[in-house]
Amino acid sequence: MPKHILIVGGGIVGLCTAYYANQRGHRVTVVERGPATHDGCSFGNAGLVVPSHFIPLAAPGAIRTALKWMASPESPFYVKPRLDMELFSWGWKFNRAATATHVARSAPLLRDLHMASLDAFEELARERDDFGLVENGMLILCSTEHALAEETRTAAMARELGMPAEVLDAGSIGDLEPGLRMTIAGGTFYPKDAFVEPARLMASMTRRLAERGVDFMWETKVTGWRAGRDRIEAVRTSRGELAGDEYVVSGGSWSPAVVRDLGLSLPIQGGKGYSLTIPRPRHNARHGIILAEARVAVTPMGESIRFGGTMEIAGLDERINPARVRGIVKAVPKYFPDFSAEDFRDVPPWCGLRPCSPDGLPYAGRFRRYENLSAATGHAMMGMSLAPVTGKLLADVLSDTPSRFDLTMLSPDRYA
Ligand SMILES: Cc1cc2nc3c(=O)[nH]c(=O)nc-3n(C[C@H](O)[C@H](O)[C@H](O)COP(=O)(O)OP(=O)(O)OC[C@H]3O[C@@H](n4cnc5c(N)ncnc54)[C@H](O)[C@@H]3O)c2cc1C
């Protein structure tokens, strides 16, 4: 039976959820606190679609590496020290999740979710090819033998999971990227990976939704809820109450605040990342690339090239930290000697907050406490890649149809 579904948050996850819910015959309203031209996390990211990312952020060694990086202001990771119970609790949960058992359980699920998302991207591109989907694989470049050995182990794990992954020497990588001079020890290649242009994807999804009659309430902030014993009756917004049959929280890093007055716990920390887009670089890449040691993603986008990286856990602070941006600018010439700080001189940095769950898995599904409230958030650095499959999963949940995925590991109640 068709329902009226209210979606809180118009980032890529909210829009994909709206798209697939509408496709299933539901009436959908997206409530977004920003204007139609907002520029949040879903716009300036690297746009990589990454079946290769089957290892969650919470993995063995993650804390050790993070502590090592904490000492340098230009390193790829930083936690701003602050007295915040939510941060302590998140860190404790992250530490508990960072085990080999968790990785072994999560990897097949993440692989399947990314692959289903890739299929969905292909469907969307067949319908209308207007968001720059390029399916030519992704390279991970290593400047040291140590990183190459680590990436070689990850590639072996990928193959065990049935995912093609090749280990390449510097010469073979040069053949794949003839326009870029590189100083690298070697790298790995994931032929199934792809990339999109995030802002074009956001514009395309917004357009498709408007054409299908989905309502948008821009500049409308959700401020609270009216709830009965086990159902949400309405959502309170800066423009008054809105009532629907089902409610989906896809507020990105702000999702915990959105559900707080319902007494629900949805642990998420904003992981601030930066990107720099050079409009017409002297050299460009053909593939999506990750610079392994620097944790910088490189994506060709039309005539431009985007460099994105850094994970800064600093609350909901959206200010630019110049030292972190410098970290990205300094890393690039170490791999691509034809680039220098001069190439970035007039490039304005962008930043966005990745919604990071403690175990590195998204939240997708209904809350137990309220029968008509669901979450679709917490995708950290995989939100672009996983948005379409998340939308499909939520459309199943909202239509009361069984999912082909086991949603237990994605339950928004797993930390309740
Ligand atoms: C530098 C960088 C590079 C990245 N690269 C990649 C990549 O290559 N591949 C990939 O898959 N992912 C990547 N990501 C991650 C990806 O960008 C995020 O996972 C994704 O954008 C999250 O989407 P979202 O819809 O969950 O959240 P958001 O895009 O943050 O959207 C949430 C929306 O909710 C709205 N909202 C919040 N509170 C309220 C409220 N109270 N009322 C109404 N509206 C509200 C916000 O305004 C916002 O628009 C990258 C991120 C960064 C920062």
Side-chain angles (χ1 to χ4, degrees):
M1 206 180 63
K3 300 174 183 175
H4 181 199
I5 292 157
L6 284 168
I7 297 179
V8 182
I12 192 60
V13 174
L15 297 192
C16 286
T17 304
Y19 182 83
Y20 292 108
N22 167 275
Q23 210 176 58
R24 300 287 281 269
H26 302 297
R27 181 184 152 208
V28 182
T29 303
V30 177
V31 186
E32 165 58 48
R33 65 177 184 174
T37 53
H38 70 117
D39 184 26
C41 193
S42 298
F43 289 83
N45 64 68
L48 300 175
V49 177
V50 280
S52 58
H53 282 39
F54 53 84
I55 299 181
L57 200 55
I63 298 264
R64 202 180 48 239
T65 312
L67 288 174
K68 199 178 70 195
W69 276 332
M70 285 280 290
S72 162
E74 292 175 5
S75 73
F77 182 81
Y78 180 69
V79 180
K80 187 175 179 185
R82 56 192 201 277
L83 282 172
D84 176 344
M85 269 318 289
E86 280 188 17
L87 174 63
F88 280 127
S89 161
W90 185 93
W92 184 76
K93 292 179 174 79
F94 183 97
N95 189 33
R96 276 187 48 137
T99 64
T101 313
H102 174 63
V103 171
R105 285 184 67 213
S106 308
L109 175 63
L110 284 173
R111 172 203 60 197
D112 293 347
L113 289 171
H114 282 297
M115 289 307 290
S117 233
L118 183 62
D119 289 345
F121 274 120
E122 288 172 351
E123 273 166 31
L124 288 168
R126 273 197 298 276
E127 189 181 284
R128 202 180 295 168
D129 184 10
D130 61 355
F131 55 92
L133 175 67
V134 178
E135 292 184 83
N136 64 351
M138 188 197 62
L139 284 162
I140 299 187
L141 306 185
C142 305
S143 65
T144 59
E145 292 295 341
H146 177 75
L148 184 57
E150 208 167 289
E151 291 304 331
T152 300
R153 282 193 291 275
T154 307
M157 262 179 87
R159 287 192 298 271
E160 274 168 35
L161 283 166
M163 181 94 64
E166 297 163 32
V167 180
L168 300 179
D169 59 22
S172 312
I173 294 175
D175 292 342
L176 287 174
E177 284 292 351
L180 282 178
R181 200 156 64 85
M182 292 174 264
T183 37
I184 52 171
T188 49
F189 180 59
Y190 290 87
K192 290 280 181 207
D193 284 21
F195 63 87
V196 299
E197 292 184 41
R200 284 182 68 197
L201 177 65
M202 288 296 288
S204 164
M205 293 308 286
T206 308
R207 217 167 23 240
R208 292 176 204 224
L209 291 172
E211 285 167 10
R212 287 162 179 256
V214 167
D215 290 322
F216 283 92
M217 296 194 63
W218 302 111
E219 298 183 58
T220 308
K221 183 174 178 184
V222 167
T223 54
W225 304 85
R226 183 154 57 77
R229 250 177 72 83
D230 48 17
R231 278 185 73 76
I232 301 292
E233 287 165 1
V235 64
R236 297 200 169 101
T237 79
S238 50
R239 290 173 192 253
E241 274 194 5
L242 299 169
D245 302 307
E246 296 266 4
Y247 303 81
V248 180
V249 177
S250 49
S253 298
W254 296 268
S255 301
V258 170
V259 296
R260 194 166 291 134
D261 83 333
L262 289 170
L264 297 173
S265 158
L266 193 64
I268 288 180
Q269 286 290 316
K272 194 180 350 181
Y274 298 88
S275 72
L276 295 150
T277 308
I278 304 178
R280 268 172 298 282
R282 285 174 293 132
H283 315 275
N284 209 333
R286 288 185 175 176
H287 302 82
I289 296 176
I290 289 179
L291 310 180
E293 297 86 346
R295 305 290 201 270
V296 168
V298 186
T299 321
M301 291 189 187
E303 290 198 340
S304 62
I305 188 166
R306 177 168 295 169
F307 297 89
T310 292
M311 177 75 92
E312 191 181 2
I313 309 282
L316 297 173
D317 178 357
E318 290 181 274
R319 284 171 302 180
I320 304 273
N321 177 344
R324 298 283 147 201
V325 179
R326 251 190 332 267
I328 297 174
V329 171
K330 283 189 180 172
V332 174
K334 291 182 187 156
Y335 298 79
F336 305 136
D338 291 333
F339 278 85
S340 72
E342 199 43 33
D343 292 292
F344 295 93
R345 199 161 51 101
D346 298 318
V347 177
W350 167 94
C351 80
L353 296 183
R354 305 172 183 93
C356 302
S357 68
D359 58 7
L361 296 176
Y363 299 108
R366 279 211 170 93
F367 288 94
R368 250 193 326 267
R369 176 75 183 78
Y370 297 102
E371 62 189 24
N372 59 345
L373 180 68
S374 303
T377 183
H379 298 74
M381 48 330 168
M382 305 188 280
M384 277 327 253
S385 190
L386 294 177
V389 72
T390 304
K392 287 194 166 195
L393 279 176
L394 263 290
D396 284 339
V397 168
L398 298 165
S399 311
D400 301 304
T401 47
S403 171
R404 59 177 264 221
F405 294 100
D406 175 6
L407 298 184
T408 332
M409 287 177 76
L410 308 181
S411 164
D413 288 318
R414 61 189 187 266
Y415 293 110

